[in-house]
Amino acid sequence: KRIQQKVAEGRWEVTGGWWVEADTNLPTETSFYKHAELSRVFVREHFGKDIVVAYLPDSFGHPATLPKILATTGFKYFIFCRPNPREKPDLPGNLFYWEYEGHRVLAYRLKHHYLQYGIKAPETVDAERLLRLLKDEEYSTNPVNCYFFGVGNHGGGPAIAEIEFYNQFIAQQPADEVNYSTCLRFFQEASQIPNIPVYRGDLHMHAVGCYSVLRDVKHTMRHCEQRLQFTTRVLEMAGKSEQLLVPLWKKTLFNQFHDILPGSCSRAAAEQAQRELGGVISACADTAYRELKSMSRGAP
């Protein structure tokens, strides 16, 4: 309820629109549509809105087909970090329309990542480092820019000392030149920039070594996806709703998280993923067998 209140006040932005911040290289297309479908239901129920900002700043690169999947599931905008400029130097800029088969999203690669490493223990700010980032030449050239700050997903939001630093920085700038905002507002204003370039192709390569480890988790995930799709068809044949599989889909999608499925998680997380995915496969097999057996009994 506290989160709902802050969202209603416009002080908490809901972004992402997927069940988790998933890896985008390994799951099947069906999984991506399930991410969007289940999340759309959840966000409408709890927050009464739709999400149009796809948010994948920590995922390890993206396939060329992703713009079509995003656009056809209601997304207009896409924010990411990887690959960085050294890994992908041929992008036309950090702001561009990313397109596939006539479908597009307005994409933005965060100029300075989502972590600024400006906090020092105990609760002090590396002001010199942060000021260098804020005085980036690109920020003075482009009419609209997006800058993330805070500890990110490595321990929480911004520290109090960091907020105080940015409050002071904002107060020293011309009126309305710099302020706290949202990803949605950034994209709405950035979309008015003339002659935004278009890019067609994949966004690789980053953390490629992840994709050659934890074969068992990857192999089991693919079996999960196949079993879920097969069981969905069985339920359709039996005239039953695929909603029966929603808890199994949620567990599967959760384990597509970008630090589990690629292989950059802890040993304990990998072992837990194996157990959970094995449970999904078992539940699908039981459901499919039960329904097929029931249909066969009633066959002439």
Side-chain angles (χ1 to χ4, degrees), residues 93-177:
N94 287 318
L95 180 71
F96 57 92
Y97 281 106
W98 192 23
E99 190 172 280
Y100 181 77
E101 291 187 346
H103 298 272
R104 61 164 53 177
V105 290
L106 182 57
Y108 182 71
R109 177 170 61 187
L110 289 166
K111 171 70 176 182
H112 293 301
H113 210 262
Y114 62 86
L115 299 176
Q116 310 310 345
Y117 303 100
I119 301 299
K120 294 180 177 179
E123 281 273 318
T124 58
V125 172
D126 187 346
E128 183 178 345
R129 172 187 172 81
L130 295 181
L131 285 172
R132 282 201 307 271
L133 299 178
L134 290 165
K135 293 178 180 179
D136 190 289
E137 182 180 353
E138 182 174 309
Y139 291 164
S140 61
T141 303
N142 293 347
V144 187
N145 299 283
C146 180
Y147 174 89
F148 275 24
F149 66 96
V151 185
N153 68 352
H154 295 264
I160 292 174
E162 193 179 16
I163 295 174
E164 292 174 346
F165 167 83
Y166 287 113
N167 284 343
Q168 183 178 11
F169 176 80
I170 291 170
Q172 295 170 348
Q173 308 309 307
D176 297 325
E177 182 74 17

XYZ file of all heavy atoms in Angstrom, residues 93-177:
702
model
N 24.628 6.431 -31.819
C 24.584 7.339 -30.678
C 23.957 6.605 -29.513
O 23.583 5.435 -29.620
N 23.835 7.286 -28.389
C 23.200 6.647 -27.242
C 21.680 6.691 -27.324
O 21.001 5.899 -26.669
C 23.678 7.315 -25.945
C 25.112 6.953 -25.607
O 25.505 5.797 -25.747
N 25.896 7.930 -25.175
N 21.144 7.597 -28.107
C 19.700 7.687 -28.337
C 19.422 7.341 -29.792
O 19.975 7.966 -30.702
C 19.191 9.093 -28.030
C 17.695 9.322 -28.240
C 16.871 8.596 -27.164
C 17.363 10.818 -28.233
N 18.576 6.338 -30.010
C 18.273 5.929 -31.385
C 16.982 5.126 -31.414
O 16.541 4.581 -30.389
C 19.423 5.078 -31.953
C 19.745 3.861 -31.132
C 19.162 2.620 -31.392
C 20.651 3.941 -30.065
C 19.467 1.503 -30.632
C 20.951 2.823 -29.289
C 20.356 1.607 -29.572
N 16.381 5.067 -32.584
C 15.254 4.160 -32.783
C 15.827 2.794 -33.136
O 16.606 2.649 -34.080
C 14.336 4.657 -33.897
C 13.406 5.759 -33.453
C 13.618 7.085 -33.853
C 12.318 5.476 -32.628
C 12.760 8.093 -33.437
C 11.456 6.492 -32.214
C 11.692 7.782 -32.615
O 10.843 8.788 -32.196
N 15.439 1.804 -32.362
C 15.880 0.429 -32.599
C 14.749 -0.294 -33.312
O 13.630 -0.342 -32.819
C 16.212 -0.237 -31.270
C 16.935 -1.536 -31.390
C 17.687 -1.984 -32.437
C 16.992 -2.564 -30.387
N 18.210 -3.220 -32.161
C 17.804 -3.604 -30.912
C 16.448 -2.701 -29.109
C 18.066 -4.773 -30.189
C 16.711 -3.850 -28.391
C 17.512 -4.879 -28.934
N 15.042 -0.862 -34.467
C 13.985 -1.335 -35.362
C 14.227 -2.768 -35.826
O 15.365 -3.193 -36.039
C 13.914 -0.400 -36.576
C 12.713 -0.608 -37.467
C 12.615 0.478 -38.528
O 12.127 1.587 -38.203
O 13.053 0.229 -39.671
N 13.101 -3.502 -35.973
C 13.154 -4.846 -36.556
C 11.821 -5.126 -37.243
O 10.766 -5.005 -36.631
C 13.416 -5.902 -35.483
C 13.517 -7.313 -36.036
C 14.675 -7.744 -36.693
C 12.455 -8.203 -35.930
C 14.766 -9.021 -37.209
C 12.543 -9.491 -36.447
C 13.704 -9.896 -37.088
O 13.789 -11.163 -37.617
N 11.883 -5.469 -38.535
C 10.712 -5.800 -39.342
C 9.614 -4.753 -39.220
O 8.426 -5.065 -39.061
C 10.168 -7.175 -38.965
C 11.094 -8.324 -39.382
C 10.481 -9.691 -39.158
O 9.451 -9.780 -38.436
O 11.030 -10.670 -39.692
N 10.012 -3.483 -39.264
C 9.049 -2.394 -39.238
C 8.555 -1.994 -37.865
O 7.804 -1.027 -37.726
N 8.942 -2.716 -36.837
C 8.572 -2.383 -35.462
C 9.752 -1.685 -34.797
O 10.905 -2.075 -34.994
C 8.210 -3.644 -34.680
C 7.038 -4.382 -35.230
N 5.734 -4.104 -34.874
C 6.960 -5.388 -36.132
C 4.907 -4.908 -35.512
N 5.629 -5.698 -36.292
N 9.468 -0.668 -33.994
C 10.553 0.081 -33.382
C 10.227 0.546 -31.970
O 9.065 0.695 -31.595
C 10.911 1.294 -34.239
C 9.754 2.283 -34.415
C 10.200 3.647 -34.918
N 11.000 3.627 -36.121
C 11.430 4.732 -36.734
N 11.092 5.936 -36.256
N 12.167 4.650 -37.826
N 11.286 0.758 -31.197
C 11.198 1.415 -29.894
C 12.284 2.483 -29.856
O 13.315 2.359 -30.517
C 11.388 0.419 -28.721
C 10.198 -0.503 -28.600
C 12.682 -0.373 -28.864
N 12.031 3.538 -29.093
C 13.060 4.551 -28.892
C 13.973 4.055 -27.772
O 13.538 3.854 -26.637
C 12.431 5.888 -28.514
C 13.404 7.061 -28.326
C 14.230 7.296 -29.586
C 12.648 8.325 -27.923
N 15.234 3.821 -28.118
C 16.179 3.202 -27.181
C 17.197 4.227 -26.694
O 17.583 5.146 -27.425
C 16.904 2.042 -27.860
N 17.638 4.036 -25.447
C 18.669 4.904 -24.886
C 19.658 4.075 -24.082
O 19.275 3.332 -23.175
C 18.054 5.976 -23.984
C 19.078 6.942 -23.421
C 19.694 7.883 -24.241
C 19.431 6.914 -22.072
C 20.637 8.767 -23.733
C 20.372 7.795 -21.555
C 20.967 8.718 -22.395
O 21.911 9.597 -21.889
N 20.920 4.180 -24.458
C 21.993 3.556 -23.689
C 22.503 4.578 -22.684
O 22.972 5.657 -23.062
C 23.137 3.094 -24.594
C 24.313 2.507 -23.814
C 25.329 1.839 -24.717
N 25.926 2.756 -25.672
C 26.754 2.387 -26.667
N 27.056 1.099 -26.824
N 27.253 3.263 -27.487
N 22.391 4.241 -21.393
C 22.811 5.165 -20.351
C 24.273 5.554 -20.542
O 25.148 4.696 -20.598
C 22.615 4.527 -18.981
C 21.154 4.371 -18.545
C 21.053 3.442 -17.353
C 20.543 5.722 -18.227
N 24.502 6.840 -20.624
C 25.842 7.339 -20.902
C 26.848 6.890 -19.846
O 27.968 6.511 -20.151
C 25.798 8.878 -20.966
C 27.147 9.550 -21.036
C 27.842 9.317 -22.359
C 29.145 10.094 -22.428
N 29.828 9.948 -23.714
N 26.426 6.919 -18.581
C 27.346 6.570 -17.495
C 26.818 5.414 -16.644
O 26.928 5.426 -15.429
C 27.612 7.795 -16.611
C 28.371 8.870 -17.312
N 29.621 8.672 -17.860
C 28.052 10.161 -17.583
C 30.044 9.794 -18.419
N 29.115 10.708 -18.257
N 26.226 4.430 -17.323
C 25.775 3.224 -16.624
C 24.713 3.577 -15.587
O 24.195 4.694 -15.558
C 26.973 2.505 -15.984
C 26.814 1.019 -15.881
N 26.406 0.398 -14.729
C 27.007 0.050 -16.798
C 26.351 -0.905 -14.923
N 26.718 -1.151 -16.174
N 24.330 2.603 -14.744
C 23.338 2.876 -13.708
C 23.985 3.013 -12.325
O 23.303 3.280 -11.346
C 22.262 1.781 -13.677
C 22.768 0.388 -13.359
C 22.919 -0.041 -12.054
C 23.095 -0.495 -14.379
C 23.391 -1.312 -11.760
C 23.557 -1.774 -14.092
C 23.702 -2.175 -12.788
O 24.160 -3.431 -12.506
N 25.290 2.822 -12.245
C 26.029 3.022 -10.994
C 27.120 4.057 -11.241
O 27.814 4.003 -12.243
C 26.680 1.715 -10.530
C 25.753 0.539 -10.214
C 26.580 -0.688 -9.873
C 24.837 0.878 -9.067
N 27.271 4.989 -10.307
C 28.302 6.008 -10.482
C 29.483 5.812 -9.525
O 30.472 6.524 -9.623
C 27.705 7.408 -10.269
C 26.436 7.675 -11.066
C 26.564 7.336 -12.539
O 27.661 7.157 -13.056
N 25.440 7.229 -13.221
N 29.354 4.869 -8.602
C 30.426 4.587 -7.650
C 30.917 5.856 -6.969
O 32.106 6.047 -6.748
C 31.584 3.867 -8.343
C 31.150 2.598 -9.014
C 30.909 2.550 -10.386
C 30.925 1.430 -8.281
C 30.475 1.383 -10.999
C 30.487 0.268 -8.894
C 30.273 0.247 -10.244
O 29.854 -0.898 -10.847
N 29.957 6.723 -6.663
C 30.321 7.998 -6.042
C 30.224 7.991 -4.537
O 30.458 9.011 -3.892
N 29.845 6.849 -3.948
C 29.697 6.771 -2.499
C 30.911 6.087 -1.884
O 31.329 5.025 -2.323
C 28.419 5.988 -2.124
C 27.193 6.672 -2.729
C 28.273 5.878 -0.613
C 26.981 8.086 -2.240
N 31.454 6.712 -0.877
C 32.561 6.127 -0.137
C 32.105 5.878 1.299
O 31.308 6.632 1.849
C 33.772 7.075 -0.119
C 34.402 7.312 -1.479
C 35.593 8.253 -1.337
C 36.307 8.455 -2.656
N 37.456 9.388 -2.520
N 32.619 4.838 1.895
C 32.297 4.584 3.297
C 33.104 5.540 4.167
O 34.266 5.846 3.864
C 32.610 3.144 3.656
N 32.548 6.014 5.278
C 31.152 5.848 5.682
C 30.304 7.023 5.186
O 30.463 8.148 5.674
C 31.230 5.826 7.201
C 32.410 6.723 7.510
C 33.352 6.630 6.328
N 29.452 6.791 4.236
C 28.473 7.776 3.760
C 29.093 9.103 3.343
O 28.651 10.179 3.732
C 27.415 8.024 4.837
C 26.358 6.942 4.919
C 25.214 7.195 3.964
O 24.760 8.331 3.823
O 24.761 6.217 3.346
N 30.155 9.039 2.556
C 30.718 10.259 1.997
C 30.659 10.172 0.485
O 30.571 9.086 -0.094
C 32.174 10.463 2.445
O 32.948 9.319 2.050
C 32.253 10.622 3.959
N 30.732 11.310 -0.176
C 30.562 11.378 -1.619
C 31.878 11.740 -2.289
O 32.596 12.634 -1.835
C 29.486 12.425 -1.979
C 29.429 12.641 -3.483
C 28.125 11.969 -1.475
N 32.182 11.053 -3.377
C 33.336 11.399 -4.204
C 32.883 12.498 -5.164
O 32.558 12.249 -6.325
C 33.808 10.159 -4.963
C 35.110 10.413 -5.722
O 35.488 11.590 -5.880
O 35.731 9.433 -6.164
N 32.851 13.716 -4.656
C 32.290 14.835 -5.416
C 33.061 15.093 -6.704
O 32.460 15.412 -7.745
C 32.285 16.094 -4.542
N 34.365 14.937 -6.669
C 35.171 15.203 -7.866
C 34.795 14.251 -8.991
O 34.630 14.668 -10.150
C 36.650 15.069 -7.524
C 37.579 15.405 -8.682
C 39.048 15.304 -8.292
O 39.338 15.259 -7.072
O 39.903 15.245 -9.198
N 34.629 12.986 -8.667
C 34.251 12.003 -9.680
C 32.861 12.303 -10.257
O 32.665 12.302 -11.474
C 34.261 10.598 -9.080
C 33.693 9.538 -10.018
C 33.554 8.173 -9.364
N 32.830 7.249 -10.222
C 33.366 6.583 -11.235
N 34.650 6.729 -11.508
N 32.643 5.774 -11.975
N 31.913 12.588 -9.384
C 30.551 12.829 -9.844
C 30.464 14.088 -10.696
O 29.736 14.125 -11.696
C 29.603 12.922 -8.649
C 29.446 11.637 -7.825
C 28.463 11.848 -6.685
C 28.992 10.477 -8.705
N 31.191 15.120 -10.327
C 31.169 16.360 -11.116
C 31.760 16.139 -12.502
O 31.304 16.734 -13.481
C 31.921 17.465 -10.372
C 31.181 18.069 -9.173
C 32.088 19.000 -8.397
C 29.916 18.802 -9.635
N 32.786 15.283 -12.609
C 33.340 14.976 -13.928
C 32.267 14.330 -14.819
O 32.169 14.637 -16.004
C 34.543 14.040 -13.801
C 35.820 14.692 -13.374
C 37.038 13.848 -13.753
N 36.932 12.480 -13.285
C 37.345 12.062 -12.085
N 37.883 12.926 -11.238
N 37.236 10.789 -11.752
N 31.485 13.428 -14.247
C 30.431 12.768 -15.014
C 29.350 13.761 -15.427
O 28.880 13.750 -16.565
C 29.813 11.635 -14.188
C 30.746 10.497 -13.759
C 29.982 9.485 -12.917
C 31.358 9.807 -14.967
N 28.958 14.610 -14.507
C 27.874 15.565 -14.772
C 28.276 16.627 -15.789
O 27.410 17.224 -16.443
C 27.444 16.227 -13.462
C 26.702 15.302 -12.479
C 26.643 15.925 -11.095
C 25.307 14.992 -12.986
N 29.570 16.863 -15.939
C 30.046 17.861 -16.907
C 30.403 17.221 -18.245
O 31.109 17.817 -19.065
C 31.257 18.597 -16.332
C 30.914 19.465 -15.130
C 32.139 20.150 -14.549
C 31.770 21.001 -13.343
N 32.964 21.670 -12.743
N 29.870 16.029 -18.481
C 30.115 15.315 -19.733
C 29.738 16.190 -20.932
O 28.705 16.875 -20.932
C 29.281 14.033 -19.747
C 29.659 13.124 -20.893
O 29.352 13.467 -22.050
O 30.250 12.059 -20.630
N 30.570 16.163 -21.970
C 30.332 16.989 -23.156
C 29.000 16.648 -23.825
O 28.302 17.521 -24.344
C 31.478 16.809 -24.154
C 31.338 17.675 -25.393
C 32.489 17.472 -26.364
O 33.454 16.765 -26.013
O 32.414 18.024 -27.485
N 28.627 15.361 -23.802
C 27.374 14.954 -24.424
C 26.177 15.619 -23.751
O 25.205 15.980 -24.393
C 27.217 13.433 -24.368
C 25.955 12.913 -25.035
C 25.913 11.398 -25.096
O 26.900 10.797 -25.562
O 24.898 10.821 -24.673
N 26.258 15.800 -22.433
C 25.159 16.432 -21.704
C 24.990 17.895 -22.094
O 23.882 18.424 -22.092
C 25.402 16.329 -20.193
C 25.288 14.932 -19.641
C 25.788 14.627 -18.381
C 24.688 13.906 -20.359
C 25.691 13.341 -17.855
C 24.589 12.634 -19.853
C 25.089 12.345 -18.599
O 24.991 11.081 -18.091
N 26.083 18.557 -22.419
C 25.988 19.962 -22.809
C 25.575 20.122 -24.263
O 25.089 21.180 -24.664
C 27.337 20.660 -22.576
O 28.354 20.058 -23.371
N 25.750 19.051 -25.064
C 25.419 19.109 -26.489
C 23.968 18.716 -26.755
O 23.265 19.374 -27.531
C 26.358 18.186 -27.289
O 27.710 18.568 -27.055
C 26.046 18.275 -28.779
N 23.519 17.632 -26.129
C 22.161 17.145 -26.373
C 21.125 17.968 -25.603
O 21.371 18.365 -24.466
C 22.046 15.678 -25.945
C 22.872 14.763 -26.829
O 23.336 15.154 -27.890
N 23.056 13.532 -26.383
N 19.964 18.196 -26.192
C 18.936 18.993 -25.505
C 18.284 18.274 -24.330
O 17.779 18.918 -23.414
C 17.907 19.272 -26.609
C 18.107 18.180 -27.605
C 19.566 17.846 -27.571
N 18.282 16.939 -24.355
C 17.677 16.155 -23.273
C 18.616 15.012 -22.931
O 19.114 14.326 -23.832
C 16.295 15.583 -23.678
C 15.635 14.922 -22.475
C 15.394 16.662 -24.250
N 18.847 14.789 -21.644
C 19.743 13.717 -21.215
C 19.159 12.977 -20.023
O 18.314 13.506 -19.300
C 21.113 14.294 -20.842
C 21.790 14.988 -21.996
O 22.337 14.346 -22.884
N 21.746 16.318 -22.000
N 19.639 11.755 -19.838
C 19.192 10.910 -18.735
C 20.416 10.456 -17.946
O 21.370 9.944 -18.530
C 18.425 9.707 -19.279
S 17.809 8.568 -18.021
N 20.369 10.639 -16.634
C 21.508 10.324 -15.774
C 20.995 9.550 -14.556
O 20.143 10.038 -13.819
C 22.184 11.626 -15.334
C 23.295 11.493 -14.330
C 24.606 11.291 -14.740
C 23.044 11.612 -12.965
C 25.637 11.189 -13.808
C 24.064 11.524 -12.031
C 25.359 11.313 -12.444
O 26.375 11.227 -11.527
N 21.469 8.337 -14.393
C 21.090 7.520 -13.240
C 22.073 7.761 -12.101
O 23.254 8.001 -12.323
C 21.132 6.032 -13.595
C 19.877 5.524 -14.249
C 19.022 6.362 -14.939
C 19.559 4.181 -14.184
C 17.868 5.887 -15.535
C 18.408 3.681 -14.777
C 17.560 4.535 -15.455
N 21.574 7.646 -10.880
C 22.460 7.716 -9.726
C 21.947 6.767 -8.658
O 20.854 6.223 -8.754
C 22.562 9.148 -9.186
C 21.282 9.692 -8.612
C 21.042 9.637 -7.252
C 20.323 10.271 -9.431
C 19.869 10.139 -6.704
C 19.149 10.776 -8.903
C 18.917 10.722 -7.536
N 22.769 6.561 -7.633
C 22.384 5.644 -6.571
C 23.235 4.390 -6.579
O 24.085 4.184 -7.440
N 22.987 3.532 -5.607
C 23.742 2.307 -5.465
C 23.221 1.236 -6.426
O 23.856 0.227 -6.647
C 23.668 1.813 -3.992
C 24.533 0.593 -3.766
C 24.120 2.932 -3.059
N 22.060 1.447 -6.991
C 21.506 0.520 -7.961
C 21.085 -0.785 -7.321
O 20.663 -0.812 -6.160
N 21.215 -1.881 -8.065
C 20.762 -3.168 -7.521
C 21.846 -3.855 -6.687
O 21.753 -5.021 -6.386
C 20.277 -4.095 -8.642
C 21.415 -4.551 -9.541
O 22.535 -4.078 -9.438
N 21.122 -5.465 -10.439
N 22.868 -3.110 -6.341
C 23.942 -3.663 -5.508
C 23.821 -3.151 -4.074
O 24.801 -2.811 -3.443
C 25.309 -3.326 -6.096
C 25.550 -3.976 -7.415
N 26.228 -5.160 -7.545
C 25.152 -3.643 -8.668
C 26.261 -5.516 -8.820
N 25.614 -4.618 -9.516
N 22.601 -3.068 -3.585
C 22.440 -2.703 -2.191
C 21.373 -1.667 -1.913
O 21.161 -1.304 -0.761
N 20.675 -1.167 -2.911
C 19.591 -0.244 -2.614
C 19.644 1.026 -3.429
O 20.355 1.134 -4.416
N 18.881 1.995 -2.989
C 18.780 3.273 -3.689
C 19.905 4.211 -3.310
O 20.929 3.803 -2.749
N 19.757 5.481 -3.606
C 20.825 6.448 -3.315
C 20.994 6.657 -1.821
O 20.047 6.576 -1.046
C 20.333 7.730 -3.996
C 18.847 7.567 -4.071
C 18.606 6.120 -4.285
N 22.226 6.937 -1.432
C 22.522 7.249 -0.035
C 22.114 8.691 0.258
O 22.006 9.526 -0.644
C 24.008 7.053 0.235
N 21.885 8.979 1.531
C 21.468 10.330 1.917
C 22.512 11.349 1.491
O 22.181 12.422 0.972
C 21.220 10.394 3.439
C 19.991 9.540 3.793
C 21.017 11.831 3.896
C 19.738 9.415 5.281
N 23.793 11.031 1.691
C 24.853 11.970 1.312
C 24.828 12.256 -0.190
O 25.106 13.367 -0.631
C 26.210 11.402 1.724
N 24.481 11.239 -0.967
C 24.408 11.416 -2.419
C 23.254 12.338 -2.790
O 23.390 13.221 -3.645
C 24.253 10.052 -3.090
C 24.482 10.078 -4.595
C 24.349 8.693 -5.200
O 23.809 7.793 -4.538
O 24.791 8.530 -6.347
N 22.094 12.133 -2.166
C 20.945 13.006 -2.428
C 21.278 14.452 -2.073
O 20.963 15.385 -2.822
C 19.716 12.521 -1.635
C 19.274 11.143 -2.137
C 18.562 13.517 -1.760
C 18.173 10.520 -1.332
N 21.950 14.628 -0.952
C 22.335 15.990 -0.557
C 23.279 16.613 -1.572
O 23.176 17.810 -1.888
C 22.977 15.951 0.831
C 21.991 15.595 1.936
C 22.664 15.407 3.286
O 23.924 15.285 3.309
O 21.959 15.365 4.311
N 24.188 15.799 -2.121
C 25.112 16.303 -3.143
C 24.338 16.761 -4.376
O 24.587 17.855 -4.905
C 26.121 15.223 -3.523
C 26.908 15.539 -4.758
C 28.032 16.342 -4.701
C 26.507 15.045 -6.006
C 28.753 16.649 -5.852
C 27.213 15.348 -7.149
C 28.346 16.148 -7.080
N 23.403 15.942 -4.848
C 22.654 16.307 -6.053
C 21.707 17.472 -5.802
O 21.479 18.294 -6.695
C 21.906 15.095 -6.601
C 22.828 14.087 -7.249
C 23.022 12.827 -6.697
C 23.550 14.411 -8.397
C 23.881 11.906 -7.275
C 24.424 13.514 -8.984
C 24.582 12.259 -8.413
O 25.455 11.365 -8.994
N 21.149 17.566 -4.604
C 20.324 18.736 -4.288
C 21.135 20.015 -4.433
O 20.670 21.021 -4.991
C 19.779 18.631 -2.857
C 18.632 17.642 -2.736
O 18.025 17.259 -3.737
N 18.324 17.236 -1.511
N 22.360 19.984 -3.921
C 23.236 21.152 -4.004
C 23.614 21.435 -5.459
O 23.624 22.596 -5.894
C 24.487 20.925 -3.165
C 25.432 22.125 -3.130
C 26.633 21.882 -2.242
O 26.879 20.765 -1.802
N 27.407 22.921 -1.975
N 23.913 20.383 -6.219
C 24.277 20.568 -7.623
C 23.123 21.188 -8.412
O 23.326 22.124 -9.196
C 24.659 19.220 -8.237
C 24.949 19.284 -9.704
C 26.183 19.724 -10.173
C 23.989 18.920 -10.647
C 26.453 19.798 -11.533
C 24.248 18.981 -11.998
C 25.482 19.421 -12.448
N 21.907 20.673 -8.206
C 20.734 21.190 -8.926
C 20.505 22.658 -8.592
O 20.190 23.467 -9.470
C 19.488 20.345 -8.581
C 19.625 18.948 -9.188
C 18.212 21.013 -9.078
C 18.574 17.968 -8.719
N 20.673 23.011 -7.326
C 20.445 24.399 -6.904
C 21.415 25.366 -7.568
O 21.104 26.560 -7.724
C 20.564 24.486 -5.380
N 22.585 24.875 -7.984
C 23.600 25.731 -8.593
C 23.416 25.889 -10.102
O 24.122 26.674 -10.726
C 24.990 25.163 -8.299
C 25.365 25.187 -6.819
C 26.630 24.407 -6.531
O 27.122 23.658 -7.375
N 27.171 24.588 -5.319
N 22.483 25.127 -10.688
C 22.271 25.181 -12.130
C 21.175 26.188 -12.486
O 20.367 26.552 -11.635
C 21.873 23.797 -12.652
C 22.811 22.687 -12.243
C 24.266 22.997 -12.532
O 24.633 23.333 -13.645
N 25.114 22.877 -11.501
N 21.133 26.652 -13.747
C 20.035 27.530 -14.168
C 18.682 26.863 -13.922
O 18.570 25.636 -13.934
C 20.295 27.723 -15.664
C 21.763 27.468 -15.832
C 22.113 26.428 -14.818
N 17.665 27.637 -13.722
C 16.333 27.118 -13.397
C 15.861 26.122 -14.449
O 15.969 26.384 -15.658
C 15.334 28.274 -13.282
N 15.361 24.987 -13.993
C 14.805 23.930 -14.849
C 15.831 23.286 -15.776
O 15.471 22.552 -16.700
C 13.635 24.471 -15.701
C 12.485 24.939 -14.839
O 12.257 24.313 -13.783
O 11.824 25.927 -15.205
N 17.112 23.541 -15.553
C 18.150 22.932 -16.387
C 18.381 21.469 -16.002
O 18.566 20.599 -16.855
C 19.455 23.721 -16.238
C 20.599 23.225 -17.096
C 20.438 23.578 -18.563
O 19.618 24.468 -18.875
O 21.125 22.968 -19.400
